[in-house]
Amino acid sequence: MLRRTINITNIYSQIKCTHPGYEDLFTEEAVYFWKEIKEAFVHEKMNINTEKFFGKRYITNGIYNSRYIKNSIRLEDLKDKINTDIPAIVVAAGPSVEENIEDLKKAKGKAYIFAVDRILDCLLDAGIEPDFIGTVDPKKPVKYFTDRDNVDIPLLWGLESNWEILSQHKGRKIIYTSNMFFQKMYISQKKEPPIINTGASVATTMFSACLKLGFKRIALVGQDMAYNGDVTHAGGIAEVRPNDDDLYVDGINGEKVRTRYDWYAFLNWYNDTIVLNPDVEVIDTKSKGAKIKGAIQMPLSDVIRNYGGNLGDDNINIYDIKNTFSQEEVENIRLYFKDTYEGLRDIKRKSKDAIDICEEQIRYYKNNLEDNHITFKNYEKISKINEFISKQPTYLLLETFVTAEAALYISEIYSFTDDQHLDKINTYEKSIAIFKAIIAGTEYAR
């Protein structure tokens, strides 16, 4: 609830309070309460920073990747074809992967292996071919996927995933999520849009994909979420990130282990998601690293011996699954994109009109004039323009771009002082900056 409520428009205008005496009467619960609020704020700040960093890339990837929609399938299209009676193994790129290589070889054919993009070459070099690969990051370097030009392992991807990785990949492509613009596209063809809770990392995304497919037992490999000395990833890689403060969390052996804020966010996501899925048994196979609350500690060898099955004839041919869209629906999607192009022009025109109105409002207030029929009428005009823009499917394509370009103004749009007159001027000035960002977004997308 907290994470759904806090967003960029209100993150800096929150008031946090409790009933008097609550913290004295229920100290333990109060500590938990404030900790949850803090983590919700940290989570949203990470989301905002992510959108600021990837703003333009979301549009670029979405447009380039739309070429794959015609021959793609959704994660939902795969659901009834998977044998969920055997475990799913999600392989991340933490240092502990190396201690599980031999057991991963034995797991092939006895469980489904979902590998993150960054660990793919390590597995292939060891002779292990995952059943699925996953990619998330809009700017993930291709070198962190593979230099091989013949990888045709089924790829799970989102519309915002790096288009260069999708171009490098040669096999069947399975869409696991889409932003609101593409969700509208699916809905226009009476299809359920692909949506999962990604959790902001490729490993958490693969875990969510396994939940969506219906697995009741999921084993985690290489999900250290902590440093091994200075090593951050398999292969002895010690990734150095500027301005990255360390913190310490509970380790699986009862000691404190060193982590960083992005891993801490992923850890909290796992902790919450496990609570929300009590019917799913989550097994953590690493021998050291951050403790995932609610996960069972068990070596991978025991997971395979105790729960592994035999895919045999149950192993699907991914190419036998029909495309999500028929040829007729593909033609309708082309019309959807054509309308999108026209919608960009309308949004740009309306935004320019809004800027002119905002500037007129500012002139009135700077001349110390009080509100009158003109300012009220202008306010109504801007409200109608805002409503028009927000209802355009095309705007959903621009939203992250706009956040990136005007994050400061959006985050302060509802911050006010005791001077109502000055607040009105400031609000219209911020609005101008946001409308300019919308115009820049339309020009970039076109």
Side-chain angles (χ1 to χ4, degrees):
M1 183 277 291
L2 285 170
R3 294 189 182 189
R4 288 195 184 102
T5 303
I6 300 171
N7 57 60
I8 190 171
T9 64
N10 63 29
I11 190 169
Y12 298 118
S13 57
Q14 298 290 324
I15 298 172
K16 299 176 284 293
C17 59
T18 62
H19 288 291
Y22 181 93
E23 291 167 319
D24 297 324
L25 289 169
F26 306 103
T27 303
E28 185 178 341
E29 289 85 349
V31 170
Y32 177 77
F33 175 72
W34 291 116
K35 180 174 178 287
E36 287 296 314
I37 288 180
K38 179 182 177 181
E39 288 177 357
F41 271 75
V42 170
H43 178 80
E44 182 55 27
K45 284 182 179 179
M46 285 184 64
N47 285 344
I48 293 169
N49 289 336
T50 298
E51 292 195 0
K52 287 167 65 176
F53 185 70
F54 290 129
K56 290 182 179 180
R57 193 69 177 194
Y58 279 121
I59 294 179
T60 302
N61 289 338
I63 292 174
Y64 272 94
N65 289 341
S66 62
R67 72 186 70 184
Y68 301 113
I69 292 173
K70 176 182 176 182
N71 296 317
S72 71
I73 59 175
R74 301 165 299 173
L75 193 63
E76 290 88 336
D77 299 323
L78 192 63
K79 189 170 184 179
D80 296 333
K81 313 295 190 300
I82 292 283
N83 177 9
T84 55
D85 292 332
I86 64 175
I89 301 174
V90 178
V91 187
S96 64
V97 167
E98 294 168 19
E99 68 190 41
N100 284 299
I101 289 296
E102 292 305 314
D103 289 324
L104 281 170
K105 290 180 180 178
K106 297 173 185 176
K108 183 65 178 176
K110 297 179 180 179
Y112 288 100
I113 300 175
F114 292 76
V116 306
D117 42 18
R118 187 161 183 166
I119 202 64
L120 176 63
D121 272 344
C122 174
L123 296 181
L124 293 178
D125 288 344
I128 302 166
E129 184 174 297
D131 296 286
F132 300 96
I133 323 163
T135 189
V136 173
D137 192 334
K139 289 186 178 180
K140 174 67 66 78
V142 174
K143 69 179 181 179
Y144 288 157
F145 174 58
T146 184
D147 290 328
R148 293 171 165 90
D149 60 5
N150 60 347
V151 172
D152 59 359
I153 302 164
L155 178 71
L156 275 63
W157 60 289
L159 267 300
E160 59 281 340
S161 301
N162 184 1
W163 68 268
E164 294 168 296
I165 285 181
L166 269 76
S167 179
Q168 180 81 354
H169 173 256
K170 306 306 179 188
R172 195 79 194 266
K173 295 173 171 59
I174 305 164
I175 302 176
Y176 59 76
T177 193
S178 52
N179 62 31
M180 287 297 295
F181 172 75
F182 289 100
Q183 288 174 32
K184 290 272 189 182
M185 180 199 74
Y186 280 92
I187 292 170
S188 73
Q189 302 308 308
K190 298 182 172 55
K191 306 283 185 181
E192 180 184 346
I195 306 170
I196 60 173
N197 179 5
T198 61
S201 84
V202 63
T204 56
T205 298
M206 292 303 96
F207 184 87
S208 278
C210 292
L211 291 177
K212 184 81 170 182
L213 291 171
F215 285 99
K216 297 304 180 185
R217 184 173 285 113
I218 305 172
L220 306 178
V221 174
Q223 313 228 12
D224 302 45
M225 290 175 282
Y227 290 92
N228 182 5
D230 289 326
V231 175
T232 57
H233 294 82
I237 296 172
E239 187 178 78
V240 178
R241 294 165 34 129
N243 305 319
D244 206 359
D245 295 330
D246 292 342
L247 63 159
Y248 288 83
V249 296
D250 292 334
I252 60 175
N253 296 320
E255 79 287 13
K256 293 291 184 180
V257 295
R258 185 166 65 104
T259 188
R260 63 191 199 193
Y261 273 100
D262 58 338
W263 295 340
Y264 181 59
F266 306 155
L267 179 63
N268 285 328
W269 183 92
Y270 272 118
N271 294 340
D272 291 342
T273 304
I274 289 172
V275 170
L276 294 171
N277 294 274
D279 59 330
V280 177
E281 186 176 81
V282 180
I283 302 171
D284 192 1
T285 65
K286 62 181 182 277
S287 60
K288 58 183 176 180
K291 179 178 178 58
I292 302 173
K293 294 177 183 177
I296 300 167
Q297 292 301 133
M298 184 185 298
L300 183 59
S301 57
D302 289 351
V303 175
I304 301 306
R305 182 171 55 253
N306 296 337
Y307 308 115
N310 188 351
L311 282 178
D313 295 335
D314 291 331
N315 204 3
I316 61 171
N317 183 342
I318 198 75
Y319 291 97
D320 288 342
I321 301 175
K322 288 174 58 178
N323 294 336
T324 301
F325 297 109
S326 67
Q327 186 57 44
E328 180 181 353
E329 289 165 339
V330 170
E331 293 303 320
N332 292 336
I333 289 171
R334 287 197 176 97
L335 292 176
Y336 179 86
F337 280 102
K338 183 176 182 296
D339 292 341
T340 295
Y341 191 81
E342 297 300 324
L344 289 170
R345 185 175 59 184
D346 293 338
I347 289 174
K348 182 177 181 179
R349 175 173 52 82
K350 289 284 188 179
S351 296
K352 286 182 174 180
D353 292 342
I355 290 173
D356 291 340
I357 297 169
C358 287
E359 289 175 342
E360 184 177 1
Q361 294 288 79
I362 291 171
R363 286 195 295 271
Y364 266 96
Y365 294 127
K366 282 188 173 180
N367 288 326
N368 294 316
L369 298 174
E370 296 298 323
D371 279 313
N372 54 43
H373 70 284
I374 295 176
T375 59
F376 287 130
K377 189 173 182 180
N378 282 341
Y379 175 80
E380 290 177 0
K381 287 179 181 178
I382 291 177
S383 297
K384 289 180 180 178
I385 290 173
N386 284 337
E387 184 179 8
F388 172 85
I389 291 175
S390 65
K391 287 184 176 180
Q392 303 307 303
T394 312
Y395 181 69
L396 300 171
L397 182 64
L398 308 177
E399 209 162 17
T400 305
F401 180 99
V402 174
T403 298
E405 292 290 301
L408 177 64
Y409 305 104
I410 296 171
S411 65
E412 294 180 349
I413 196 72
Y414 296 121
S415 296
F416 303 111
T417 68
D418 293 331
D419 188 337
Q420 293 186 10
H421 200 77
L422 181 61
D423 284 342
K424 290 175 182 177
I425 294 173
N426 289 338
T427 298
Y428 283 112
E429 286 177 342
K430 293 170 189 172
S431 298
I432 288 173
I434 295 169
F435 284 120
K436 285 182 177 179
I438 293 173
I439 291 170
T442 63
E443 292 173 345
Y444 184 80
R446 286 166 67 93

